[in-house]
């Protein structure tokens, strides 16, 4: 038996290929939409991908089940409670799939979503009664459990799903032996839970000891714990969950429409509402960018923030560093943002003869920013981190507007005063500054290095405890 985990840091997403050398057969579990890595791995090990499982209709990315089906002829498997527009085999509790010396047994584990399944893996060369591992999808994470409120927009209550999740954990997963390896679909940084570990594999026995949500408690108490203090889910989550149930164009078909555009073409499209997305690093963006463009750099949580800040109703035009256009579009495609009209040919070099269209953003060192904030006419400092981050420490006198709420709260900000934006390290503040500039604020700067740079300069911070 061959088992390989693939981890995608941008989406904190884990997917898997499990193969049998004897039969030359492989199955892929919860694939990402760009599927080259699975095809390549299978070829290297003389395997053919014949099966693809989704543990649930994922909300934070578009899965690659249709891409693998079209490329390899693989059969798609979903939980029996799933409804989808494409052909799939519904697997019910206890159903099994065997190929060679590998057995996959499905457990219906609703809770994170109503159609969620977990997949118990048996290496028949080792034992046909003791499982080797279990793919838990988003039902059980390392250090956490799946949030039960993501289907609220589709008519499911958090209480009902939380009750299902409690039963799935205690009646199905915790019935497995302690030595069973646990392979989840997400890790730290995912918004599918609130306390996910940086580890990407564990054992069920370790979960019993250390996972807060698996400690002895009533179902009512569990539902309260599982639903409390969850991070806010971006609007695209519901869109992706629906898209994963539809027959849709593959990623390759989408990327075929990626065409170069002249600066004049980009400006004309921008005038009609197109979103100009600059995917360069924040420092490069600050040094010069197209007026009205939005900076979401490839070096951070690009997919999450593009899905949060951009909309699906207006086309996207990409501006990227040399050689990174395809990556920019591919990573948009991973969350189903296929409405890319094209990219600016030659990137920022297109602006060399048009300085009137070039905008810069000042990134101020922390000591100088502190001087400005203590001056007679200080800028308004805006903290775009999450409320949970701000509870730990913040710059005194700053206004808290989380980045995911910035656009809807632009009307609260003064237009006759300079604005000074900060976040944790400078990635989100660059997004925020670009949104403010696009919203007509012309005196916008950032604290270079965010609050980390502020503290490194030995400047004071306020804490929530200090106010008590």
């Amino acid at each position: 038996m061959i088992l390989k985990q693939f981890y995608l840091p941008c989406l904190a997403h884990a997917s898997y290929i499990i193969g049998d050398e004897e039969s030359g057969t492989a199955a892929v579990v919860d694939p990402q939409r760009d599927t080259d890595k699975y095809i390549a791995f299978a070829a290297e090990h003389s395997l053919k991908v014949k099966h693809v499982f989704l543990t649930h209709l994922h909300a934070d990315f578009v899965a690659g089940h249709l891409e693998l089906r079209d490329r390899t002829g693989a059969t798609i498997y979903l939980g029996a409670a799933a409804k989808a527009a494409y052909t799939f085999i519904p697997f019910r509790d206890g159903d099994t799939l065997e190929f060679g010396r590998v057995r996959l047994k499905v457990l219906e584990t609703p809770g994170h979503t109503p159609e969620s399944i977990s997949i118990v893996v048996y290496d028949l060369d080792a034992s046909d009664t003791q499982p080797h591992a279990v793919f838990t999808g988003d039902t059980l994470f390392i250090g956490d459990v799946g949030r039960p409120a993501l289907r609220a927009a589709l008519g499911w209550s958090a209480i009902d799903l939380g009750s299902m999740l409690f039963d799935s954990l205690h009646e199905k997963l915790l019935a497995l032996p302690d030595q069973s390896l646990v392979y989840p679909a997400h890790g730290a940084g995912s918004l599918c839970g609130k306390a996910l570990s940086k580890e990407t594999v564990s054992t069920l026995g370790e979960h019993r000891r250390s996972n807060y949500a698996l400690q002895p408690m009533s179902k009512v108490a569990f539902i309260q714990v599982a639903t409390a203090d969850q991070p806010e889910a971006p609007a695209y989550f519901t869109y992706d969950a629906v898209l994963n149930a539809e027959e849709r164009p593959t990623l390759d078909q989408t990327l075929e429409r990626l065409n170069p555009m002249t600066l004049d073409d980009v400006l004309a499209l921008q005038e009609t509402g197109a979103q100009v997305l600059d995917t360069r690093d924040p420092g490069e963006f600050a040094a010069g960018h197209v007026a009205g463009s939005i900076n979401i750099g490839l070096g951070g949580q690009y997919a999450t923030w593009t899905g949060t800040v951009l909309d699906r109703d207006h086309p996207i035009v990409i501006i990227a560093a040399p050689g990174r256009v395809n990556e920019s579009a591919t990573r948009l495609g991973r969350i189903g943002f296929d409405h890319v009209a094209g990219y600016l040919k030659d990137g920022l070099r297109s602006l060399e003869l048009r300085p009137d269209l070039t905008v810069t953003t000042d990134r101020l060192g922390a000591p100088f920013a502190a001087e400005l904030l203590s001056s007679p006419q200080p800028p308004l400092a805006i903290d775009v981190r999450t409320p949970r981050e701000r509870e730990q420490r913040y710059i005194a006198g700053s206004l808290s507007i989380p980045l995911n709420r910035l656009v809807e709260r632009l009307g609260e900000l003064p237009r006759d005063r300079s604005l000074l934006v900060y976040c944790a390290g400078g990635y989100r503040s660059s997004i925020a500054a670009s949104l403010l500039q696009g919203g007509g604020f012309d005196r916008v700067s950032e604290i270079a290095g965010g609050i980390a740079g502020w503290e490194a300069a030995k400047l004071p911070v306020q804490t929530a405890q200090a106010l008590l």
Side-chain angles (χ1 to χ4, degrees), residues 128-145:
D128 62 357
T129 58
Q130 296 296 307
H132 171 75
V134 57
F135 300 123
T136 56
D138 284 6
T139 298
L140 178 63
F141 299 122
I142 310 302
D144 203 353
V145 293

Side-chain angles (χ1 to χ4, degrees), residues 32-311:
Q32 64 189 63
R33 196 176 177 195
D34 42 320
T35 57
D36 285 351
K37 61 181 62 179
Y38 312 112
I39 304 297
F41 183 87
E44 289 169 7
H45 293 82
S46 302
L47 302 171
K48 179 175 175 55
V49 176
K50 296 183 179 180
H51 314 284
V52 55
F53 284 82
L54 295 191
T55 56
H56 61 292
L57 299 173
H58 293 274
D60 66 325
F61 69 95
V62 174
H65 50 302
L66 301 187
E67 282 77 4
L68 284 172
R69 178 201 65 186
D70 288 358
R71 293 184 68 176
T72 71
T75 300
I76 299 171
Y77 303 83
L78 303 176
K83 294 180 173 62
Y86 45 82
T87 299
F88 68 93
I89 294 179
F91 260 40
R92 293 172 174 80
D93 208 58
D95 285 351
T96 61
L97 173 69
E98 286 193 20
F99 45 95
R101 304 301 294 160
V102 173
R103 177 190 298 153
L104 303 180
K105 178 182 177 181
V106 163
L107 302 178
E108 291 185 273
T109 50
H112 176 67
T113 68
E115 79 287 345
S116 290
I117 59 172
S118 298
I119 304 168
V120 185
V121 180
Y122 292 85
D123 179 355
L124 298 180
D125 282 332
S127 173
D128 62 357
T129 58
Q130 296 296 307
H132 171 75
V134 57
F135 300 123
T136 56
D138 284 6
T139 298
L140 178 63
F141 299 122
I142 310 302
D144 203 353
V145 293
R147 59 190 295 179
L150 283 182
R151 288 296 185 271
L154 299 179
W156 291 88
S157 81
I159 293 176
D160 289 343
L161 288 173
S163 177
M164 293 179 190
L165 183 60
F166 181 87
D167 292 340
S168 294
L169 292 167
H170 289 272
E171 296 175 10
K172 304 288 181 66
L173 292 177
L174 289 178
L176 298 174
D178 279 357
Q179 66 268 27
S180 305
L181 295 173
V182 174
Y183 288 107
H186 286 95
S190 169
L191 295 177
C192 294
K194 60 185 175 183
L196 282 69
S197 170
K198 292 181 180 179
E199 302 299 322
T200 59
V201 62
S202 183
T203 65
L204 204 55
E206 179 58 31
H207 273 281
R208 292 184 208 276
R209 290 186 291 273
S210 61
N211 191 319
Y212 75 95
L214 300 184
Q215 302 313 302
M217 67 182 81
S218 67
K219 181 180 288 190
V220 171
F222 172 83
I223 293 171
Q224 291 174 338
V225 167
T227 56
D229 301 322
Q230 290 287 1
E232 188 171 359
Y236 78 91
F237 272 30
T238 298
Y239 169 72
D240 280 5
V242 171
L243 199 59
N244 276 320
E246 295 180 350
E247 185 74 47
R248 48 151 182 84
T250 64
L251 182 61
D252 286 342
Q253 291 170 328
T254 296
L255 294 178
E256 287 175 359
R257 303 195 301 264
L258 190 61
N259 296 313
M261 301 175 66
T262 66
L263 179 59
D264 287 340
D265 289 339
V266 171
L267 295 175
L269 207 56
Q270 188 181 34
E271 281 292 319
T272 63
Q275 304 165 102
V276 179
L277 172 64
D278 192 321
T279 68
R280 296 174 301 147
D281 290 340
E284 296 174 293
F285 181 83
H289 53 269
V290 174
S293 59
I294 300 168
N295 177 230
I296 307 177
L298 292 171
Q301 289 186 300
Y302 172 78
T304 297
W305 285 114
T306 51
T308 300
V309 171
L310 304 183
D311 65 54

Side-chain angles (χ1 to χ4, degrees), residues 378-402:
L380 174 61
I382 303 173
D383 181 352
V384 297
R385 299 173 302 151
T386 64
R388 186 176 298 180
E389 290 173 287
R390 186 173 172 85
E391 287 174 2
Q392 303 302 314
R393 62 198 188 285
Y394 61 92
I395 297 172
S398 61
L399 174 66
S400 174
I401 304 183

Side-chain angles (χ1 to χ4, degrees), residues 311-388:
D311 65 54
R312 303 187 308 276
D313 300 323
H314 298 89
I316 298 169
V317 177
I318 292 171
I319 298 175
R324 305 198 75 178
V325 169
N326 195 73
E327 178 187 357
S328 301
T330 296
R331 290 171 65 177
L332 285 172
R334 287 175 182 162
I335 60 167
F337 274 46
D338 293 349
H339 50 295
V340 178
Y343 63 93
L344 178 60
K345 184 180 179 181
D346 298 326
L348 262 289
R349 288 193 302 165
S350 301
L351 285 178
E352 290 175 354
L353 300 179
R354 294 295 305 274
D356 56 307
L357 296 174
T358 305
V359 179
T360 61
T361 308
D362 290 332
R363 308 196 92 197
L364 309 179
F368 182 53
E371 287 183 29
L372 290 179
L373 290 172
S374 61
S375 66
Q377 294 183 312
L380 174 61
I382 303 173
D383 181 352
V384 297
R385 299 173 302 151
T386 64
R388 186 176 298 180

Side-chain angles (χ1 to χ4, degrees), residues 379-429:
L380 174 61
I382 303 173
D383 181 352
V384 297
R385 299 173 302 151
T386 64
R388 186 176 298 180
E389 290 173 287
R390 186 173 172 85
E391 287 174 2
Q392 303 302 314
R393 62 198 188 285
Y394 61 92
I395 297 172
S398 61
L399 174 66
S400 174
I401 304 183
L403 179 55
N404 64 332
R405 295 297 179 192
L406 181 61
V407 172
E408 67 190 54
R409 293 180 61 182
L410 291 182
E412 301 175 25
L413 300 176
R415 293 187 176 270
D416 58 352
R417 186 177 175 186
S418 297
L419 305 178
L420 178 61
V421 188
Y422 73 93
C423 63
Y427 181 79
R428 285 172 290 175
S429 65

